[in-house]
Amino acid sequence: MNAPAPLRLRTNRDDHRIAALAALAITIHIIEAALPSPIPGVKPGLANVITLVVLFLYGWRDAAWVSLLRVFAGSLLLGSFLTPTFALSLAGACSSLAMLGLVWRLNPLLQGIGFKLGPVGFSVLGACAHMTGQIITARLLIIPHDGLFHLLPLFITAAVLFGIVSGIISQLILSRLRQEQ
Amino acid sequence: MTRTAIFTRADIIVVCVAILMLPWLYQHFWGDGSRGEIARVQVAGQAPLLIPLHRSQRYTFDGPLGTSVIEVRDGRIRFVESPCRNKLCIHSGWLQRNSEFAACLPNLVSITIAGHNPRFDSINF
């Protein structure tokens, strides 16, 4: 009798790189989940620093992989997979990735007229898209009440602040990496 | 090797626009624009009663436990007296913006601030 051929997953260098970066993002995500937050729903989102760095180093496709892997693996590890929290997390990630993808496409055009966006601009736009996507998803799926939108100003304020902070950290990491090359 | 700047010019523009947008957001979602004009009061399964908020007045409603007193003043509305135990409805305080909500579950009285064309008859959680 022939033994069944062992299942082998072929991986290449790209896969390994994405996996390593996603692991880094998941670690930050979980450490952050352990920190108490003064306002429910508001947290710094420092794992997005990794998404931004990957975006600038390897492009949008890799950034999307890292971000979505973080959402899925992070929720599995925290036990929130397929819960409302997960739905909001996924909605936020998809919205910010859509925004990042759009601006990533536009950026060469902007560069042509001397207005190239750096990590800070990407970060703020991504964070605002993240929050808006989350609130709309919460309104559609979880709390069907317009009172939810009263939270929007607070959430967007937090998004802008943390977006700037994440962007600055990303830029510092990127310039450090470029120096070492 | 030159140190790259943290912000590009476009970054500064994006950050400024985002920060300038914030007061507008607060104005739009928290300001006078979102003030309601009508309160819908629902008592123990009866058809909702629409109360205009521009006329200051006191209303009494009889629920299963007793009489709830609701006050309208300066475009706002609140519970002032309730026969219930926890008085959560009274502690909800003044309601004035669209979609704000207070309820006395024991006495089956609820108030929602509504626009002129409410989209839903009721919402369940």
Side-chain angles (χ1 to χ4, degrees):
Chain A
M1 287 244 284
N2 289 339
L7 181 68
R8 184 173 268 147
L9 217 56
R10 276 181 196 284
T11 55
N12 56 28
R13 273 181 54 198
D14 283 2
D15 298 330
H16 295 176
R17 189 184 62 220
I18 287 172
L21 291 163
L24 208 55
I26 292 163
T27 312
I28 297 174
H29 181 76
I30 287 175
I31 291 172
E32 213 176 53
L35 298 175
S37 158
I39 311 170
V42 173
K43 61 174 194 167
L46 288 175
N48 293 318
V49 167
I50 305 294
T51 312
L52 281 168
V53 169
V54 172
L55 178 72
F56 275 82
L57 289 181
Y58 305 111
W60 184 80
R61 202 187 70 100
D62 282 20
W65 267 111
V66 167
S67 176
L68 292 173
L69 277 173
R70 170 180 65 77
V71 169
F72 278 91
S75 72
L76 283 172
L77 289 168
L78 291 171
S80 62
F81 185 56
L82 296 185
T83 62
T85 319
F86 168 76
L88 291 181
S89 185
L90 186 61
C94 291
S95 317
S96 61
L97 283 173
M99 176 61 98
L100 292 181
L102 182 74
V103 187
W104 189 245
R105 283 285 178 82
L106 285 177
N107 216 17
L109 296 176
L110 292 173
Q111 191 170 11
I113 54 170
F115 280 99
K116 190 188 178 216
L117 277 173
V120 179
F122 274 84
S123 180
V124 170
L125 289 171
C128 290
H130 184 103
M131 271 305 180
T132 313
Q134 275 192 332
I135 286 254
I136 291 171
T137 310
R139 172 68 181 76
L140 291 176
L141 296 182
I142 301 167
I143 307 175
H145 192 272
D146 283 342
L148 198 60
F149 291 116
H150 290 312
L151 295 172
L152 195 66
L154 276 183
F155 282 178
I156 296 288
T157 308
V160 171
L161 287 180
F162 290 132
I164 294 171
V165 172
S166 302
I168 291 174
I169 298 175
S170 311
Q171 173 64 288
L172 292 176
I173 293 174
L174 282 165
S175 48
R176 185 70 176 272
L177 285 174
R178 283 187 193 123
Q179 270 176 4
E180 283 178 7
Q181 269 171 8
Chain B
M1 173 99 207
T2 52
R3 273 182 70 91
T4 42
I6 288 178
F7 300 96
T8 67
R9 247 189 309 168
D11 284 344
I12 293 170
I13 292 173
V14 166
V15 168
C16 288
V17 169
I19 290 173
L20 288 176
M21 187 188 65
L22 292 177
W24 176 82
L25 275 180
Y26 282 96
Q27 165 69 26
H28 184 77
F29 288 99
W30 288 13
D32 273 355
S34 60
R35 265 189 178 218
E37 291 160 22
I38 285 184
R40 273 156 40 98
V41 178
Q42 190 131 21
V43 186
Q46 295 169 22
L49 206 77
L50 298 178
I51 295 181
L53 294 182
H54 55 78
R55 189 162 8 122
S56 298
Q57 200 179 329
R58 277 183 172 232
Y59 300 84
T60 55
F61 295 97
D62 290 322
L65 283 188
T67 305
S68 291
V69 180
I70 291 170
E71 181 185 19
V72 175
R73 185 161 21 111
D74 305 329
R76 306 182 296 173
I77 188 166
R78 68 171 175 180
F79 281 96
V80 280
E81 272 173 51
S82 175
C84 58
R85 197 160 54 87
N86 292 325
K87 314 280 185 204
L88 287 176
C89 49
I90 297 174
H91 291 302
S92 301
W94 289 107
L95 311 177
Q96 57 178 335
R97 293 188 192 94
N98 270 333
S99 309
E100 278 189 321
F101 180 79
C104 179
L105 294 184
N107 206 25
L108 299 178
V109 180
S110 68
I111 310 177
T112 317
I113 309 289
H116 282 285
N117 299 308
R119 276 185 60 206
F120 305 108
D121 291 333
S122 71
I123 289 171
N124 293 308
F125 294 103

